[in-house]
């Protein structure tokens, strides 16, 4: 008669261990540090995959806002249409990144390390401030082209720093799409170098 109780307790303990393993493994990826010698390791010894995904979501959000602004400033209807499409694409990219973030246990950014990390990222050009409200269409387009290049570079850095995330989140596809955005902008603004 005692055997069923022990079996039930053992089964419950087994389920608890499996759930704990799954929970820790699932969140462990978010807290993974970049591979030694990768470019991301230059952004601080405590930079985690979660922080880089947060940054990616912010980059895509800024891109979406930039293209919405460009759509309003664009003189030609086909350029307005392109900018609307690009804003939509940036929103889709943000959704892909946010979906990955949502799979992890929510944790706020580190209060002291996040500002230093963001400063380094800005210095590298990955999170630059867009031209002001009074910027001309060409100035916005030149900035957008530079940002598409930098965003593709940013996603490319994941390949060496986080090879599993690179594959799992299909970052190669995002790199290709950012290059495609750059090419489409260059077609729309051939005079901008």
């Amino acid at each position: 008669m005692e055997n069923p109780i022990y079996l039930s307790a053992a089964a419950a303990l087994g389920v608890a261990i499996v759930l704990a393993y799954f929970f820790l493994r699932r969140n462990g990826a978010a807290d993974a540090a970049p591979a030694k010698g990768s470019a991301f390791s230059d952004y601080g010894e405590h930079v985690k995959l979660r922080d880089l995904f947060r940054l990616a979501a912010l980059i895509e959000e800024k891109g979406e806002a930039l293209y919405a602004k460009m759509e309003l400033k664009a003189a030609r209807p086909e350029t307005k249409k392109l900018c609307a499409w690009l804003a939509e694409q940036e929103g889709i990219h943000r959704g892909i990144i946010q979906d990955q973030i949502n799979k992890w246990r929510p944790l706020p950014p580190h209060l002291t390390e996040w500002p230093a990390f963001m400063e380094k990222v800005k210095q590298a050009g990955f999170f630059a401030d867009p031209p002001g409200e009074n910027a001309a269409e060409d100035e916005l387009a030149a900035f957008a082209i530079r940002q598409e290049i930098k965003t593709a570079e940013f996603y490319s850095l994941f390949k060496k720093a986080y090879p599993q995330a690179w594959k799992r989140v299909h970052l190669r596809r995002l790199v290709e799409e950012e290059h495609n955005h750059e090419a489409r902008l260059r077609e729309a603004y051939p005079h901008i170098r």
Side-chain angles (χ1 to χ4, degrees), residues 9 12 20 61 77 83 89 99 132 134 157 162 193:
E61 185 178 320
C83 292
Q89 291 298 301
D99 285 348
N134 297 325
L157 294 177
Y162 298 99
R193 291 286 143 216

Side-chain angles (χ1 to χ4, degrees), residues 30 32 43 92 99 108 158 182 190:
Y43 292 106
I92 291 169
D99 285 348
F158 279 84
E182 175 199 352

Side-chain angles (χ1 to χ4, degrees), residues 15 22 25 69 99 119 131 159 188:
V15 168
F22 174 75
R25 185 169 173 247
K69 183 193 267 187
D99 285 348
E119 187 56 39
K159 188 173 187 176

Side-chain angles (χ1 to χ4, degrees), residues 5-21:
I5 292 173
Y6 289 127
L7 289 175
S8 295
L13 179 62
V15 168
I17 290 170
V18 168
L19 288 174
Y21 172 78

Side-chain angles (χ1 to χ4, degrees), residues 28-100:
D31 296 326
K36 296 278 188 239
S38 70
F40 282 144
S41 62
D42 295 341
Y43 292 106
E45 65 181 76
H46 301 291
V47 172
K48 304 293 184 215
L49 181 60
R50 173 191 316 272
D51 298 322
L52 294 164
F53 270 74
R54 281 185 180 122
L55 173 60
L58 291 172
I59 289 170
E60 297 296 345
E61 185 178 320
K62 266 192 162 189
E64 190 175 3
L66 173 68
Y67 290 123
K69 183 193 267 187
M70 284 179 65
E71 181 183 6
L72 296 174
K73 294 237 179 186
R76 298 180 342 207
E78 61 271 12
T79 307
K80 283 184 179 294
K81 186 176 178 180
L82 171 63
C83 292
W85 179 80
L86 288 168
E88 181 182 325
Q89 291 298 301
E90 298 299 308
I92 291 169
H93 292 176
R94 184 170 44 85
I96 291 167
I97 299 300
Q98 194 60 52
D99 285 348
Q100 181 61 49

